[in-house]
Amino acid sequence: MTDIGFAALQQIVANEFDIAPASVTRETTAEDVDGWDSVSHASLIMAVEKAFNVVFPDDDIYTMENVGAMHDKIVELSR
Amino acid sequence: MVATVPPAPPAGQTDILSHLLGHVRQTPEKTFVQAELPDSRDRITYARAWRDLNSYKAEYVRQGVRPGGVVLIFLPQGWTAIAHYLGAIAHGCIASFMPCPSAKQDADKYWTAHQKLIERIEPAALVTNDAHAEQMRRNGLVQGQTVLMHARAPDLLPDGESVAWTPAASDATPILQHSSGTTGLKKGVMLSHRAILDQTFSYARSIDARADDVVVSWLPLYHDMGLVACLLMPMIVGQTIVLMDPFHWVSRPGTLFEAIARHRGTLCWLPNFAFDHLARIVEPKPETMSLATIRAFVNCSEPCHAASFRRFAEKFAPLGLADTALQVCYAMAETTYAITQTSVAAKPRTIHVDRVLLHEQGRVAPPASPETDQELISTGPPIAGTDIIVLDADRQPVADGIVGEVNVRSSCLFPGYYKLPEETAARLHGDLYATRDRGFISDGELFVLGRLDDLIIVAGRNFHATEIETVLNRVDGLKPGRNVAFGVANTERGTSDLIVVAETFDDAGADASTPLHKSLRHQVREQVFQSLSIYPSEVRLVTQGWLLKTTSGKIERNGNAAKFTREKLDIASRRASA
């Protein structure tokens, strides 16, 4: 079964932007992370979808406010 | 049978809409625009296009929009935006697509930033949707005789008066193409019917365009590549356009290949970063994707890299990508669009030169050693009716193989920037346009190396470093005038990264782990994004004295870029050896 704990998402975000996992919190936003733009966001979305076996609705891709909201969405889509 | 495009406009068709009308009469049921948008799969025939265009023209008349004035269209990508645009041209106005604020941008700040532009242009009309209209009014954009038009779906309008048709004069200006960057400094490139038609028929020959081509595009219509190559040219020669949404494409890039397969797409224009974005993210799925019908993917709008082509070709060969499908174009709005184009019958030429001689002495020679080998890809020969003259710093022509500034003489050249005579005089020298690009000619083909000025090109979008630095000067906690912005090539992403370095008050720049440091970095990224719709790839906050200055006290852009890169490499090598 896929681990949908926050730590797993933390690790994916950290890998995508080459930062320490501990620096990724529920409140982390694109403004906080160097290199997080619309193109790298798409790459992150693909990595998250693959890892958690979910597909984000198109309308949600650019409206999730922070990493916490992304995690909440993953949990919702995994139900 | 191949439906070829004639080498020149048919006699008497001296304005762009006469060509559209010609296709309406000859092939009324042919698809002009096929929407592949998140909320629409509408098919717009040539006949429907003409009907809608006339409906909007009638609406402009009803609302008292003055002919000859500028109509700025702030609408999402789609047929409604295009029909308003063409309707404005039919009404005798000067139409211009403008970007809308993204979901993450502060709407009030976005519209306030348009005040200077609006005051200068004094538009005849602003066309937008209901939500934006209220914001524009609230932020004082509707002044004087400007009409604020709420966009309506074409089927809500009465039938237009499509019988009477008076072609415009060939030297009239139907469109303004705005540069990117800070809103108040946007320059509107004026383009005449004649320039657009000359460009279309010259460029059509260069890429062997055919009337039965299907152009698939997610490019924004406010960008010259999206507008000219993917809307106006197809309209003038009677092709079909498959229209996608840029935001949706970035997050779901594979949809481009699915649309190409569904509609048997033959031509597609992309900036260099898109080749890498597709190669990195999309997994080839032959059951829903095919590239077998594509004759050309044209790489344009930012420096093209042979390595990006190699990654793309290798990944997508299983989808039937032809060997000769990856091509290069060099273009800019001031020449309507294309200046050069590689031949679609062969792979673009690549050459290997000595990097040191090229950058230090400005001349082309074979590499002295493998370490100094630099691969360059040709942008092709000039299109018909266009001459390229490479000039030195004294504006004297240089020999082939010598680096200088690329200057262009063309029948497609713009007459100037709208209501900006000083900016026009700085770039137009008689009939020569100074591009500010560095490059050289080799065997009749142009190789482009980079910029002479502070322009930073990120994912096909242009930003002047000084505009970014102006934003940094307003961030509380940073020392005004003690910052610098520059681009650093990112070979993995196939584009440049936007880097900003700024000195802080006190010692906030010294320790990246402090809340103050984090808060400042957050503010910098947020304010740059709100002003320019781009996040810097890296924000480096430093203590006073880090930035190098020239002897006259100015911040040294190239020197600081080199210092930043050196420090990055040092950190990377320390990490690797740890």
Side-chain angles (χ1 to χ4, degrees):
Chain A
M1 193 183 146
T2 310
D3 172 17
I4 55 169
F6 186 73
L9 177 60
Q10 240 180 342
Q11 189 63 55
I12 293 168
V13 176
N15 289 348
E16 197 63 37
F17 300 108
D18 195 20
I19 53 177
S23 67
V24 181
T25 67
R26 284 187 62 84
E27 285 69 41
T28 299
T29 67
E31 287 82 14
D32 300 323
V33 181
D34 279 344
W36 194 333
D37 58 18
S38 59
V39 176
S40 56
H41 184 70
S43 185
L44 172 66
I45 291 290
M46 297 292 280
V48 170
E49 289 184 338
K50 199 170 170 186
F52 294 103
N53 196 26
V54 294
V55 177
F56 291 107
D58 289 343
D59 288 347
D60 292 335
I61 289 176
Y62 289 106
T63 53
M64 291 179 281
E65 277 184 12
N66 50 31
V67 177
M70 184 179 282
H71 186 250
D72 292 345
K73 194 53 139 178
I74 294 165
V75 172
E76 181 192 323
L77 293 169
S78 302
R79 277 182 197 137
Chain B
M1 197 179 100
V2 175
T4 53
V5 174
Q13 294 190 352
T14 53
D15 76 310
I16 60 175
L17 293 184
S18 290
H19 290 263
L20 172 60
L21 181 57
H23 304 308
V24 172
R25 287 173 176 153
Q26 285 172 18
T27 54
E29 294 312 311
K30 180 175 180 174
T31 304
F32 171 38
V33 175
Q34 171 63 58
E36 277 282 341
L37 301 163
D39 59 351
S40 169
R41 290 285 187 277
D42 285 353
R43 183 178 86 92
I44 309 297
T45 63
Y46 272 87
R48 160 86 187 270
W50 192 254
R51 192 202 75 189
D52 289 354
L53 166 163
N54 279 284
S55 296
Y56 286 116
K57 177 187 169 187
E59 188 65 13
Y60 287 115
V61 173
R62 258 192 298 279
Q63 298 212 22
V65 175
R66 65 176 196 280
V70 174
V71 174
L72 299 179
I73 296 166
F74 294 90
L75 289 172
Q77 187 113 321
W79 174 243
T80 301
I82 295 172
H84 276 93
Y85 184 88
L86 298 177
I89 296 171
H91 181 48
C93 290
I94 304 169
S96 187
F97 286 119
M98 302 294 285
C100 294
S102 70
K104 293 187 76 177
Q105 279 178 298
D106 181 309
D108 286 332
K109 280 187 191 161
Y110 184 85
W111 296 117
T112 304
H114 281 76
Q115 280 171 351
K116 273 189 189 164
L117 180 79
I118 300 281
E119 279 167 19
R120 170 157 47 87
I121 290 180
E122 298 179 287
L126 302 169
V127 182
T128 192
N129 57 30
D130 292 348
H132 290 153
E134 172 49 33
Q135 294 162 359
M136 291 164 97
R137 195 181 288 285
R138 189 169 68 227
N139 287 287
L141 299 193
V142 188
Q143 304 278 347
Q145 295 184 343
T146 299
V147 175
L148 181 64
M149 272 180 71
H150 293 244
R152 292 285 174 266
D155 53 7
L156 294 178
L157 293 168
D159 278 349
E161 299 128 32
S162 57
V163 184
W165 170 247
T166 311
S170 65
D171 58 357
T173 301
I175 68 169
L176 270 193
Q177 178 59 28
H178 280 95
S179 57
S180 46
T182 308
T183 308
L185 302 174
K186 279 178 190 289
K187 295 181 289 189
V189 172
M190 297 189 286
L191 292 172
S192 68
H193 288 276
R194 186 191 295 119
I196 299 166
L197 292 176
D198 279 356
Q199 167 72 201
T200 296
F201 288 91
S202 294
Y203 190 51
R205 262 191 287 168
S206 287
I207 58 160
D208 188 23
R210 301 158 190 182
D212 54 5
D213 270 323
V214 176
V215 175
V216 184
S217 175
W218 56 263
L219 299 167
L221 293 166
Y222 54 78
H223 190 287
D224 60 336
M225 183 157 64
L227 175 69
V228 180
C230 304
L231 173 62
L232 297 181
M233 190 176 80
M235 178 187 85
I236 291 164
V237 301
Q239 298 167 334
T240 292
I241 302 157
V242 177
L243 188 71
M244 304 177 70
D245 179 79
F247 291 105
H248 188 250
W249 174 78
V250 168
S251 57
R252 301 288 183 209
T255 52
L256 177 68
F257 295 166
E258 291 164 359
I260 288 169
R262 257 197 306 280
H263 302 288
R264 302 186 61 77
T266 58
L267 295 172
C268 182
W269 279 261
L270 298 170
N272 192 80
F273 89 93
F275 288 87
D276 285 296
H277 187 53
L278 286 157
R280 195 168 48 248
I281 291 188
V282 177
E283 290 307 319
K285 291 179 186 155
E287 60 277 18
T288 56
M289 300 173 179
S290 171
L291 301 180
T293 54
I294 284 284
R295 288 192 296 112
F297 276 113
V298 182
N299 189 334
C300 189
S301 286
E302 61 182 334
C304 307
H305 301 292
S308 302
F309 272 177
R310 278 194 288 272
R311 287 191 282 266
F312 186 89
E314 195 176 310
K315 181 100 180 249
F316 300 121
L319 295 179
L321 182 70
D323 277 353
T324 55
L326 303 183
Q327 298 296 337
V328 183
C329 173
Y330 172 61
M332 55 193 56
E334 286 83 350
T335 56
T336 306
Y337 178 62
I339 294 169
T340 66
Q341 171 66 48
T342 51
S343 164
V344 292
K347 286 184 175 181
R349 207 174 122 216
T350 56
I351 59 172
H352 289 262
V353 301
D354 192 284
R355 189 177 60 244
V356 176
L357 288 178
L358 185 73
H359 294 289
E360 292 184 2
Q361 297 180 22
R363 64 188 175 91
V364 174
S369 70
E371 288 74 38
T372 60
D373 184 337
Q374 182 169 356
E375 184 183 30
L376 299 172
I377 189 164
S378 167
T379 70
I383 66 168
T386 294
D387 295 316
I388 296 170
I389 303 100
V390 179
L391 300 179
D392 64 17
D394 299 321
R395 297 200 62 74
Q396 297 302 308
V398 300
D400 284 9
I402 301 294
V403 177
E405 182 183 10
V406 178
N407 283 254
V408 182
R409 182 182 289 122
S410 171
S411 60
C412 316
L413 204 58
F414 75 135
Y417 299 110
Y418 190 70
K419 293 190 177 181
L420 290 171
E422 285 177 16
E423 284 79 354
T424 300
R427 301 296 285 275
L428 263 182
H429 304 273
D431 62 350
L432 264 191
Y433 173 66
T435 66
R436 308 302 290 148
D437 279 324
R438 291 168 63 244
F440 64 88
I441 298 283
S442 170
D443 292 330
E445 298 190 9
L446 176 69
F447 291 77
V448 181
L449 300 172
R451 296 290 299 177
L452 282 164
D453 59 13
D454 67 347
L455 193 76
I456 304 165
I457 307 176
V458 184
R461 298 169 63 206
N462 298 347
F463 303 93
H464 280 284
T466 46
E467 296 176 66
I468 297 159
E469 289 155 6
T470 303
V471 175
L472 298 177
N473 287 340
R474 295 196 298 259
V475 177
D476 287 340
L478 299 187
K479 289 181 83 71
R482 301 290 304 172
N483 54 62
V484 66
F486 49 84
V488 171
N490 182 328
T491 50
E492 197 182 318
R493 279 162 54 100
T495 188
S496 291
D497 285 340
L498 168 60
I499 309 295
V500 301
V501 182
E503 292 185 356
T504 61
F505 281 114
D506 307 320
D507 284 334
D511 184 355
S513 65
T514 63
L516 178 59
H517 189 105
K518 285 179 183 168
S519 160
L520 266 177
R521 284 179 67 254
H522 181 101
Q523 279 184 59
V524 170
R525 286 176 60 78
E526 174 69 9
Q527 292 205 27
V528 172
F529 177 75
Q530 291 296 346
S531 299
L532 292 145
S533 304
I534 182 175
Y535 284 118
S537 298
E538 184 163 343
V539 176
R540 171 80 70 84
L541 299 183
V542 294
T543 50
Q544 192 170 346
W546 190 98
L547 289 168
L548 304 172
K549 290 190 292 186
T550 63
T551 46
S552 59
K554 286 185 180 168
I555 301 292
E556 203 185 331
R557 197 181 315 285
N558 292 341
N560 284 305
K563 183 177 178 182
F564 170 85
T565 305
R566 250 191 336 266
E567 287 197 359
K568 285 278 279 191
L569 287 172
D570 285 350
I571 293 167
S573 69
R574 275 203 300 275
R575 262 196 204 166
S577 59

